[in-house]
Amino acid sequence: MVKQRRCDWNPWSLFKQNHLYVKFAVSILLMGLAFRLFYSNNNNSIRVSPVSESPFVEKTVGENSTAPASNSVDVQENSDQIPQKETCDLSTGDWIPDPSGPIYTNESCRVITAHQNCMKNGRPDSGYLYWRWKPQDCELPRFNAERFLDFMQNKSWAFVGDSIARNHVQSLLCILSKVEAANEVYHDEDYRSRKWYFPSYNFSLSVIWSPFLVKAAIFEDMNGVSTADVQLHLDELDKKWTDQYKSFDYMVISGGKWFLKTAIYYENNTIAGCHYCPGKNLTEYGFENAYRRALKLALNFFITSNHRSVVLYRTTTPDHFENGEWFNGGTCDRTVPFKGETSLKDIDTTLRNIELEEFKKLVTVRSEKRVNLKLLDTTLLSLLRPDGHPGPYRQFHPFSKDKNAKVQYDCLHWCLPGPIDSWNDLVMEMVMNG
């Protein structure tokens, strides 16, 4: 019966049967095309979709974990050169999570001063190591030590300033040590001025102790104890760095904070006034005037010199003392960056404004004389990092014997590794791509 019915087809029934097969085949074809288009579009959307949440957010700080692999997003943050807007301001931006952490460790770098070796001194948290600076309008490549050293073959650098300049040069030395460890070839009696040499690149790197930039008689020991007031000659630069200037291809120079100290000011070898010297019957000259005078003198030196080097003037560094100052119980116990909920202290605003004003005056002069003089503005990005200082861990395990011990905090210098490493990201970008 079944066979008879299947063979008893008339032309209309055959047409309907074939029509059904055709419809079925077309349906299968359309479904296949739709599936292919959907799959292709879906893949395309994965490649261009932004990451909605950093994989670092849910990870405990300091854990040995890595971000999940992705073949859909091309990450460029570690490339040597990243397209930027012409108007990009490297000093304005935000600190964002960085699961990769620092380039070096406190154990891998041998030049870290004991006061800045926070991990060795017992600092218990490590979250401050997992952030990177992200300018508002562009990407900032991470420091590429190998590319930097290749570019600096047969050249010399100098950092001129105070202990923050020393802090900065040690950060750079630590980063470069991932390619080659430098040999120390000079130091003064107090190890304040030093010089290192990279033999494979014939590259030298110096730090010159000159906290005022001008000629100064300083009666202060390594612990900051003074036996007499500082004597500053505001019309004469410090020969410790000016006499060596022509031997340097690059220089990072800085000043500021030391001008807050009690000082007697000289002009033409005659006392012109002082800063904070009650009882001496001297005219209050003001640290603002003294700093402006010294800065003008230094900048004019570069402009009038016939030696053409690249000079970066680094702006003032804010401190993060809370509930007091360094000498009366001030602390800095924060463990994460600020998110804009802070502002510069009046003194830091004053110092930075002087720097910005004096550089603004030089715009025309620099273009006429073709002086490669740039402003390395690290003030605002540093302001957002109250978590990056040694604090009580400027000393070795300060609470090992007494958890409630009263310890002097350091809320001005920076842990190594730490936020100051990002200053070198700016330095490399300004020198290599600026």
Side-chain angles (χ1 to χ4, degrees):
M1 295 293 292
V2 175
K3 290 181 179 180
Q4 177 64 32
R5 288 181 179 176
R6 292 188 60 162
C7 293
D8 190 21
W9 292 336
N10 61 33
W12 177 245
S13 65
L14 182 60
F15 173 79
K16 289 195 294 182
Q17 191 84 354
N18 288 340
H19 183 64
L20 289 173
Y21 282 127
V22 171
K23 289 176 66 178
F24 181 76
V26 172
S27 298
I28 292 296
L29 179 61
L30 290 174
M31 288 177 64
L33 288 172
F35 179 80
R36 183 179 181 86
L37 287 171
F38 174 80
Y39 183 77
S40 175
N41 287 338
N42 194 43
N43 275 351
N44 288 336
S45 66
I46 291 175
R47 280 194 292 271
V48 299
S49 294
V51 178
S52 60
E53 184 175 292
S54 168
F56 179 62
V57 172
E58 297 182 2
K59 143 177 153 34
T60 301
V61 172
E63 284 181 356
N64 294 323
S65 62
T66 57
S70 170
N71 21 353
S72 59
V73 179
D74 294 328
V75 179
Q76 288 186 306
E77 67 184 52
N78 289 331
S79 63
D80 289 344
Q81 202 164 6
I82 293 175
Q84 299 185 10
K85 293 183 181 179
E86 291 184 2
T87 58
C88 179
D89 180 2
L90 295 176
S91 68
T92 303
D94 198 10
W95 291 91
I96 63 174
D98 180 14
S100 62
I103 297 174
Y104 64 94
T105 68
N106 68 308
E107 294 179 349
S108 68
C109 184
R110 66 189 186 193
V111 300
I112 301 175
T113 301
H115 290 331
Q116 275 83 64
N117 201 333
C118 303
M119 301 299 284
K120 184 177 181 180
N121 289 342
R123 179 166 175 169
D125 63 304
S126 60
Y128 66 96
L129 299 172
Y130 294 89
W131 300 87
R132 70 175 178 88
W133 178 246
K134 169 65 174 69
Q136 182 174 316
D137 296 322
C138 58
E139 289 291 338
L140 179 64
R142 241 186 157 180
F143 195 100
N144 187 319
E146 187 171 6
R147 181 174 178 237
F148 180 86
L149 285 171
D150 284 340
F151 191 78
M152 294 302 160
Q153 287 198 47
N154 306 315
K155 294 184 174 64
S156 61
W157 273 70
F159 285 69
V160 179
D162 55 23
S163 56
I164 300 295
R166 182 171 64 236
N167 204 176
H168 189 183
V169 79
Q170 288 174 356
S171 166
L172 180 57
L173 283 165
C174 287
I175 293 172
L176 297 179
S177 70
K178 300 302 292 182
V179 175
E180 179 173 282
N183 300 322
E184 186 174 14
V185 294
Y186 167 79
H187 64 78
D188 62 8
E189 185 178 355
D190 296 323
Y191 286 82
R192 283 178 163 170
S193 294
R194 305 170 73 176
K195 183 177 181 179
W196 295 267
Y197 181 67
F198 295 80
S200 299
Y201 299 88
N202 189 30
F203 169 59
S204 65
L205 182 58
S206 303
V207 60
I208 301 173
W209 171 258
S210 183
F212 293 101
L213 304 180
V214 296
K215 180 181 177 182
I218 303 172
F219 308 94
E220 181 175 298
D221 63 19
M222 295 298 289
N223 297 315
V225 178
S226 297
T227 56
D229 294 338
V230 174
Q231 298 178 24
L232 292 186
H233 294 260
L234 298 178
D235 55 354
E236 187 176 347
L237 291 172
D238 187 355
K239 289 181 178 291
K240 285 202 298 292
W241 67 270
T242 58
D243 285 352
Q244 300 182 64
Y245 172 62
K246 290 186 178 180
S247 67
F248 299 123
D249 300 291
Y250 297 86
M251 181 177 283
V252 179
I253 191 166
S254 55
K257 277 289 194 282
W258 274 65
F259 283 86
L260 304 179
K261 292 179 178 287
T262 299
I264 310 296
Y265 301 134
Y266 290 78
E267 293 179 358
N268 296 319
N269 292 317
T270 303
I271 294 179
C274 70
H275 171 57
Y276 192 67
C277 51
K280 292 189 181 295
N281 196 29
L282 295 174
T283 302
E284 174 61 43
Y285 192 95
F287 75 88
E288 305 98 322
N289 294 326
Y291 184 43
R292 190 183 295 276
R293 181 76 185 274
L295 181 55
K296 279 184 176 180
L297 199 62
L299 297 179
N300 187 63
F301 171 81
F302 296 122
I303 289 172
T304 57
S305 173
N306 57 12
H307 175 61
R308 291 293 173 254
S309 63
V310 176
V311 180
L312 308 181
Y313 194 94
R314 180 182 55 75
T315 57
T316 190
T317 304
D319 66 66
H320 290 95
F321 285 100
E322 297 183 79
N323 307 311
E325 297 298 330
W326 67 271
F327 54 84
N328 61 3
T331 61
C332 48
D333 292 319
R334 297 179 185 267
T335 57
V336 294
F338 284 128
K339 285 293 183 182
E341 67 272 22
T342 188
S343 59
L344 282 172
K345 295 178 181 179
D346 290 343
I347 286 177
D348 291 322
T349 298
T350 298
L351 293 173
R352 185 167 182 269
N353 284 344
I354 290 172
E355 295 159 349
L356 297 179
E357 288 165 8
E358 293 307 315
F359 255 81
K360 187 176 181 180
K361 294 175 185 177
L362 288 177
V363 172
T364 304
V365 178
R366 279 183 293 169
S367 60
E368 289 177 352
K369 301 222 176 233
R370 293 182 293 180
V371 177
N372 205 342
L373 184 59
K374 304 179 181 183
L375 191 69
L376 174 59
D377 191 352
T378 59
T379 303
L380 299 182
L381 65 93
S382 302
L383 175 65
L384 299 177
R385 293 307 304 271
D387 57 324
H389 302 291
Y393 298 100
R394 62 186 296 273
Q395 302 177 23
F396 185 74
H397 290 268
F399 304 113
S400 59
K401 295 180 180 179
D402 181 2
K403 293 183 179 180
N404 299 313
K406 291 185 178 181
V407 181
Q408 186 181 31
Y409 278 59
D410 181 354
C411 306
L412 174 63
H413 300 91
W414 303 94
C415 293
L416 292 175
I420 196 173
D421 296 325
S422 287
W423 292 10
N424 288 310
D425 295 341
L426 269 69
V427 167
M428 184 165 184
E429 180 66 16
M430 292 175 69
V431 169
M432 307 287 280
N433 302 327

